[in-house]
Structure formats: structure tokens, C-alpha cells
């Protein structure tokens, strides 16, 4: 089976492509290698994947619809893992057009290519940010997601709606994964754990927003990949699992809406939110250095807390978090200190 992975030089995309190669699949990776953060890190990830002869890389922009149609026609992927996107909550405030281009036009290109190529299953990255500042903890897939606090979150919610419409109109099986604060080796330099680690190691100050009064459902990359690959490769292989594709967020009997059988979304997280300052404390211990914290006001677009309810994905594919925060941060620091990352 050939699987196409967009964003294959990105953090999650790299790990997903690597796991798929380990499991014997042919993988076509797509990435535009943009400069949102240092492309040298993306190139290093890509070089690691290209050691395997079953990995085939295509430098391309997903928002270019004709290019995607041509690519899908040539490689004929059976399944698609769409992870290419413009990430970052704060960056979306200053660069909104980048999000419309990559996250909306890009997703439409992938949907059209999947439709034209008769792809049997599309799995795509959504985000915990779609929940906004939900007062309901833990976040459940059935919760109201109509009040995103950033344009990034709004584009991810839009992706879910677009996928739903293509499932309804064209029979495309589509599964969205709402990722919760992913961290680990080969991570992104713009994310909090990388920034905290680098600052502590170098003695630079750390910007702590909302005066540290935030919690996040930090999820180690291996757990994320376990759930992602299971959703992509195992979730619809038999009649039994295909029947579980019915969205558990079924409309109530008085809503008049029919149950969706082809499009669904899952949380993938740890269901164990941690205070930001506890992360800093663990990193201080692992690095043997004290952090220089600068406590700042709340930033526009930030949510105060995240926590994933895992009931739906647990029932569908047996997903469970395996790596604790302490173990995950220890693995992360070991990689960070060992690997000569581009700065």
C-alpha cells in the first residue's frame, strides 16, 4: 500500500512517515520546506527518512491544486495523512493570509485530489485549539467548537467542516485528529518545551504568559503517532472497525440531523493536564539549572487550559497514553542535548 503524507518534513509528519516506513509501507512525502522555522531542521528530518528506499519525496505546495491532482494521479495513494499546515496561534495574528493559503486552500486541494483519486481514507490534523476557552473539562468531541480564539483555530474548525461536506457529497472517508500539545524529539523550535529548554540551557529568560496560570495536556510524540497510525491504517480495515466510524457525536433525536457514517473527529491527548510551571520545574531538574522566568500578561489567542477526553478514540482503536510527562521530558532533554540541532 502506498500512503501519501503531507508535511513529511514537519515534526509530526516526520515521525508518522518514519513509523509507516518501519511498518513496511511505501510512503510518498510532500513538503514545501518553508522558513516558518529553520529549514535546516526540516532538511535533517528529511535526510533521515530518505535513507529508506521506500520513501519518495516530492517538494510541493499543497495549496497548488493542479500540482496535487497530478501528484495523486502519478502515485495513486490508497490512503492520505494530511499534516501540512501553517501552525502557531500567535503567528496567525500577524500573518493571517498564510493561514488562509496553507490551511484552507491547501486542505481544499487535498480534498479534491482525494476525491479525484478515489482515496479510501483521509486522515488529517485538526487541533485542540478548536475548543477555545471551553469551561467543560475534559474536552469532548461533542462540545461546542464554534468559538475559536485564533485564526489558526478557526482554520482547523473549517477543515473539519470541509471534510464533513466532502464525506457527505462524495463518500470520502475522513478522520480528523484533534492533537493536544505535542512534544518530543525532533520537535518545533517555536513550541514552549523547546523554547523553555533552550532558554534554561543558555541562561536566557523565559517568557511565561498569563503569569504562569495555564495548564496544557502535553502529549508525547510516540503516543501521538500510535494513535495517528492506528487511525490511518487499522481503523477501517474490517467491517467491525468500519462500523465504528460512525461519529459518536450523533445528533440527538430531536435535532433532525442524520448520523454521519464517513466523517469523524477524535481527540488525541493525554487526559492529564499539567501546569506550565510544573513543566519548567521538571526541565530545571533535568538540566541541572534554574530558569529565569519573566511573567507576562495573557496573550491574545491563548487558551487557559486544555484536556482531552479519550473515551471516543479509546473505544474506536484502543488508544491509551503510555508516556508520562516526566518520562517524556527526560527523553526530550536527552535528545536535545545529544543532537546538534540547527539554531
Amino acid at each position: 500500500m502506498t500512503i501519501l503524507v503531507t508535511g513529511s518534513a514537519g515534526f509530526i509528519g516526520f515521525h508518522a512517515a518514519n513509523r509507516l516506513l518501519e511498518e513496511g509501507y511505501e510512503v510518498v512525502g510532500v513538503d514545501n520546506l518553508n522558513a516558518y522555522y529553520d529549514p535546516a531542521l526540516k532538511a535533517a528530518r528529511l535526510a533521515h527518512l530518505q535513507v529508506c528506499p521506500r520513501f519518495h519525496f516530492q517538494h510541493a505546495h499543497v495549496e497548488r491544486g493542479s500540482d496535487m491532482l497530478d501528484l495523486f494521479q502519478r502515485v495513486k495513494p490508497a490512503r492520505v495523512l494530511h499534516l501540512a499546515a501553517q501552525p502557531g496561534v500567535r503567528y496567525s495574528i500577524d500573518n493571517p493570509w498564510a493561514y488562509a493559503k496553507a490551511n484552507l486552500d491547501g486542505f481544499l486541494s487535498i480534498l479534491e485530489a482525494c476525491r479525484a483519486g478515489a482515496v479510501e481514507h483521509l486522515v488529517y490534523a485538526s487541533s485542540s485549539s478548536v475548543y477555545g476557552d471551553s469551561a467543560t473539562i475534559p474536552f469532548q468531541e461533542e462540545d461546542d467548537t464554534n468559538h475559536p480564539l485564533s485564526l489558526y483555530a478557526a482554520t482547523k474548525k473549517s477543515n473539519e467542516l470541509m471534510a464533513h461536506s466532502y464525506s457527505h457529497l462524495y463518500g470520502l472517508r475522513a478522520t480528523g485528529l484533534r492533537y493536544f500539545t505535542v512534544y518530543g524529539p525532533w520537535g518545533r523550535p517555536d513550541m514552549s518545551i523547546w523554547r523553555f529548554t533552550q532558554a534554561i540551557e543558555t541562561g536566557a529568560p523565559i517568557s511565561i504568559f498569563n503569569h504562569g496560570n495555564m495548564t496544557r495536556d502535553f502529549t508525547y510524540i510516540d503516543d501521538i503517532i500510535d494513535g495517528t497510525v492506528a487511525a490511518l491504517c487499522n481503523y477501517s480495515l474490517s467491517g467491525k472497525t468500519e462500523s465504528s466510524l460512525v461519529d459518536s457525536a450523533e445528533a440527538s433525536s430531536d435535532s433532525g440531523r442524520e448520523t454521519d457514517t464517513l466523517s469523524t473527529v477524535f481527540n488525541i491527548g493525554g487526559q492529564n493536564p499539567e501546569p506550565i510551571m510544573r513543566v519548567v520545574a521538571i526541565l530545571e531538574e533535568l538540566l541541572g539549572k534554574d530558569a529565569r522566568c519573566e511573567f507576562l500578561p495573557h496573550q491574545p489567542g491563548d487558551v487557559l487550559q486544555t484536556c482531552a477526553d479519550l473515551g471516543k478514540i479509546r473505544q474506536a482503536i484502543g488508544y491509551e497514553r503510555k508516556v508520562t510527562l516526566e518520562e517524556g521530558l527526560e527523553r526530550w532533554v536527552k535528545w536535545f542535548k545529544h543532537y546538534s540541532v540547527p539554531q
Side-chain angles (χ1 to χ4, degrees), residues 100-259:
K101 182 179 178 181
N103 299 3
L104 299 180
D105 293 349
F107 193 56
L108 181 59
S109 293
I110 294 298
L111 288 172
E112 276 292 287
C114 286
R115 177 176 73 88
V119 168
E120 65 184 47
H121 191 189
L122 166 66
V123 173
Y124 63 94
S126 185
S127 168
S128 62
S129 65
V130 301
Y131 291 105
D133 252 337
S134 175
T136 304
I137 294 293
F139 298 164
Q140 297 183 334
E141 289 87 348
E142 298 87 349
D143 290 347
D144 178 17
T145 55
N146 292 321
H147 301 90
L149 300 186
S150 67
L151 180 63
Y152 169 73
T155 63
K156 288 301 183 179
K157 173 64 175 178
S158 298
N159 289 171
E160 295 180 3
L161 297 174
M162 294 163 73
H164 182 95
S165 67
Y166 267 67
S167 295
H168 174 73
L169 291 171
Y170 307 116
L172 173 64
R173 191 180 298 281
T175 302
L177 304 177
R178 292 175 176 171
Y179 292 130
F180 282 70
T181 316
V182 189
Y183 73 99
W186 296 97
R188 288 197 347 242
D190 63 309
M191 297 189 74
S192 60
I193 286 180
W194 185 307
R195 292 189 294 105
F196 293 172
T197 304
Q198 187 170 11
I200 295 171
E201 185 77 343
T202 61
I206 299 175
S207 296
I208 305 289
F209 296 103
N210 201 44
H211 305 283
N213 297 316
M214 293 188 292
T215 61
R216 292 289 182 270
D217 197 350
F218 291 98
T219 314
Y220 189 68
I221 185 62
D222 287 3
D223 289 334
I224 290 291
I225 298 305
D226 286 347
T228 298
V229 172
L232 179 70
C233 298
N234 304 329
Y235 188 33
S236 58
L237 292 181
S238 69
K240 180 177 179 180
T241 51
E242 284 190 8
S243 67
S244 70
L245 280 164
V246 176
D247 192 341
S248 67
E250 296 180 1
S252 60
S253 58
D254 61 347
S255 71
R257 292 182 300 172
E258 64 181 17
T259 299

Side-chain angles (χ1 to χ4, degrees), residues 86-107:
Q86 177 58 60
V89 169
R90 296 186 185 115
Y91 189 76
S92 69
I93 294 174
D94 297 324
N95 301 274
W97 292 107
Y99 290 77
K101 182 179 178 181
N103 299 3
L104 299 180
D105 293 349
F107 193 56

Side-chain angles (χ1 to χ4, degrees), residues 290-324:
D290 293 333
R292 292 174 52 203
C293 297
E294 292 186 349
F295 295 97
L296 301 171
H298 181 265
Q299 291 288 291
D302 280 355
V303 300
L304 298 180
Q305 57 187 348
T306 63
C307 179
D309 184 286
L310 301 179
K312 184 178 176 182
I313 193 171
R314 183 181 291 122
Q315 182 179 14
I317 60 174
Y319 171 83
E320 294 288 352
R321 186 192 77 152
K322 299 174 183 176
V323 182
T324 65

Side-chain angles (χ1 to χ4, degrees), residues 42-114:
K42 300 178 183 182
R45 297 183 187 126
L46 187 58
H48 184 86
L49 294 173
Q50 289 176 317
V51 171
C52 180
R54 284 180 286 103
F55 180 77
H56 314 280
F57 180 66
Q58 181 74 37
H59 186 280
H61 297 261
V62 294
E63 65 270 18
R64 296 176 182 171
S66 60
D67 291 352
M68 289 300 100
L69 287 170
D70 290 344
L71 176 62
F72 276 56
Q73 186 176 22
R74 283 191 284 109
V75 305
K76 295 179 171 54
R79 301 188 179 195
V80 173
L81 178 59
H82 178 54
L83 300 173
Q86 177 58 60
V89 169
R90 296 186 185 115
Y91 189 76
S92 69
I93 294 174
D94 297 324
N95 301 274
W97 292 107
Y99 290 77
K101 182 179 178 181
N103 299 3
L104 299 180
D105 293 349
F107 193 56
L108 181 59
S109 293
I110 294 298
L111 288 172
E112 276 292 287
C114 286

